[in-house]
Amino acid sequence: MNLLIETLGWIASVLIVGSYALNLRGTLAASDPRYIWSNIVGGLFFVVNTVHHGAYPSALVNVVWVIIAFAALIRKK
């Protein structure tokens, strides 16, 4: 179980930082659904990882991150 949770944390890191880097390069717009979904999935994976580690302030930040991304997705539709 620990390996799965750590793997989710690493995937979250790649999704969020990777999409952010692509956004800054102009390759992936912030309004692109792929950017939004990478933030949703990455944020959810971070929530699992941080709760498992007892890092509740980080978990809360990621819950808010996911809510913001879902709001952007809803506005996009």
Side-chain angles (χ1 to χ4, degrees):
M1 186 59 116
N2 283 337
L3 179 60
L4 173 63
I5 290 171
E6 292 306 314
T7 301
L8 291 178
W10 283 105
I11 292 169
S13 297
V14 170
L15 285 171
I16 291 176
V17 173
S19 64
Y20 182 63
L22 291 172
N23 177 260
L24 289 178
R25 286 183 47 197
T27 307
L28 190 60
S31 60
D32 189 313
R34 295 173 297 173
Y35 179 82
I36 297 168
W37 276 107
S38 67
N39 278 280
I40 290 171
V41 173
L44 289 172
F45 284 4
F46 267 145
V47 169
V48 171
N49 183 274
T50 53
V51 166
H52 175 77
H53 289 289
Y56 300 111
S58 294
L60 178 62
V61 166
N62 284 291
V63 166
V64 172
W65 191 273
V66 170
I67 290 168
I68 291 168
F70 267 123
L73 193 62
I74 291 167
R75 274 193 321 268
K76 181 120 176 87
K77 290 183 180 183

